[in-house]
Amino acid sequence: MSSWKSVSKSNQKTHRERHQPEARSHLGLLEKKKDYKTRADDFNEKQKTLRLLRKRALNRNPDEFYFHMINSKTEDGEHFEKEKEDEHTPDQIKMMQTQDIQYVTMKLTSEKRKIERLKAELHMLDAAEEVTNSHTFFVDDPKEVLNFDVASRLGTHPALMGRRTNRMKLETLKSATLPTIDKAALEKAQRQKAQKYAVLAKRLEREKQLRIIQEKMLLKKNLLIKTESKPERIKPATKDAPPVYRWKTERKR
């Protein structure tokens, strides 16, 4: 009996599914039964998920409290996560919600260029005057140390000893023709320089805030990338720094 079955099975004709007729070749490959089954299973699975979600929505109690209610909000049908006040300043929240990272990067680059131009214009002379440097003088006689005069050793006037730049020697002072000093013009120049340093301080602060916003937005963008393991949060965000996350090392194929 078994031999008859094996013989009959070997004599059976192999039925193959037909290919797409040439007249319909512009429609692409002809869908086979296995393709239909895969598509039907996917459709039925999605319909099952929709029925489950619809059932949960009907059974949901709108007055039931859950903790995520206080950390999220909905505006015009779009869901947003609320930003904590101790993590961002109001300006940072406004910038991150209304602009994209390309705009922030462009403004940061522009601010850096303006700062460089201001620094080149001011030459940072006042900063050079405040540098605390030292100069060592060597003498042959220990008694000379008691009566040592730095101004005479450098060959300059004692009134110029507090300066780090433009400290002329006595010979240059004797031969130089000093221009007449206009007190009003000098005060105006001092006011203009003070105003430029105030603008520079504001631009440095703005550049710092833009850099912080850029780092926070880049980190948020990286957190949206799905990985097998979620990163570990080591340090929360502050107004002056983004949060710190640690990703597990994954081998890239």
Side-chain angles (χ1 to χ4, degrees):
M1 189 70 178
S2 61
S3 62
W4 178 83
K5 283 186 176 181
S6 61
V7 171
S8 62
K9 187 176 292 186
S10 63
N11 293 331
Q12 286 180 353
K13 183 178 179 180
T14 303
H15 295 278
R16 299 178 180 177
E17 294 186 75
R18 66 188 182 95
H19 61 83
Q20 182 75 283
E22 292 184 2
R24 296 173 57 87
S25 59
H26 64 280
L27 299 176
L29 295 175
L30 180 66
E31 186 183 53
K32 305 300 189 294
K33 184 176 180 180
K34 61 178 182 179
D35 303 324
Y36 163 77
K37 190 175 186 307
T38 302
R39 183 166 57 84
D41 291 342
D42 180 66
F43 175 80
N44 292 330
E45 186 68 26
K46 291 178 180 178
Q47 291 297 318
K48 182 179 178 182
T49 304
L50 288 174
R51 285 194 297 269
L52 178 61
L53 293 175
R54 196 175 293 112
K55 181 179 178 181
R56 288 180 179 177
L58 290 173
N59 295 334
R60 177 179 173 273
N61 181 9
D63 297 328
E64 183 179 358
F65 174 79
Y66 59 99
F67 285 100
H68 198 242
M69 292 172 63
I70 60 177
N71 295 327
S72 62
K73 61 180 179 179
T74 304
E75 293 181 359
D76 299 330
E78 189 173 356
H79 182 265
F80 290 98
E81 294 288 336
K82 286 184 179 179
E83 303 288 352
K84 296 182 179 180
E85 294 182 357
D86 57 344
E87 292 185 357
H88 312 292
T89 61
D91 292 337
Q92 291 176 0
I93 295 175
K94 183 179 179 181
M95 179 73 75
M96 288 188 290
Q97 289 182 349
T98 58
Q99 303 296 341
D100 56 2
I101 191 169
Q102 285 82 6
Y103 174 81
V104 175
T105 304
M106 179 193 69
K107 297 298 289 183
L108 179 60
T109 305
S110 175
E111 206 66 37
K112 286 182 177 178
R113 290 175 180 172
K114 292 177 182 178
I115 289 173
E116 291 300 324
R117 285 198 295 267
L118 267 175
K119 285 183 177 180
E121 184 178 351
L122 293 170
H123 295 290
M124 304 301 289
L125 291 178
D126 291 344
E129 294 291 342
E130 295 174 0
V131 175
T132 56
N133 50 9
S134 59
H135 193 102
T136 304
F137 295 94
F138 297 93
V139 295
D140 298 330
D141 189 2
K143 295 180 180 179
E144 190 178 350
V145 178
L146 301 175
N147 300 323
F148 187 77
D149 187 8
V150 180
S152 61
R153 181 66 177 267
L154 294 175
T156 185
H157 195 275
L160 301 177
M161 288 304 302
R163 305 185 64 177
R164 299 290 187 272
T165 58
N166 295 334
R167 187 171 57 197
M168 294 184 289
K169 294 184 176 296
L170 291 174
E171 294 81 1
T172 308
L173 289 172
K174 291 177 181 179
S175 60
T177 303
L178 298 178
T180 57
I181 300 175
D182 188 357
K183 188 175 181 180
L186 183 61
E187 291 178 354
K188 182 179 179 181
Q190 292 292 335
R191 285 197 305 269
Q192 290 178 350
K193 186 171 73 171
Q195 290 174 358
K196 289 183 179 180
Y197 271 105
V199 172
L200 178 61
K202 290 181 180 179
R203 292 202 177 278
L204 287 172
E205 180 63 24
R206 178 171 173 78
E207 186 264 342
K208 175 185 174 184
Q209 294 299 325
L210 286 171
R211 179 175 47 81
I212 294 172
I213 293 173
Q214 183 192 43
E215 292 175 354
K216 289 182 178 180
M217 295 179 74
L218 279 174
L219 181 60
K220 185 178 289 187
K221 183 179 179 181
N222 292 332
L223 289 174
L224 293 176
I225 301 175
K226 294 183 179 180
T227 56
E228 295 182 359
S229 58
K230 292 185 177 180
E232 179 186 359
R233 187 175 183 177
I234 301 176
K235 188 183 297 184
T238 62
K239 294 181 180 180
D240 297 328
V244 179
Y245 283 85
R246 179 170 60 193
W247 277 263
K248 290 185 179 180
T249 305
E250 296 181 0
R251 182 178 178 182
K252 303 297 182 182
R253 293 184 178 180

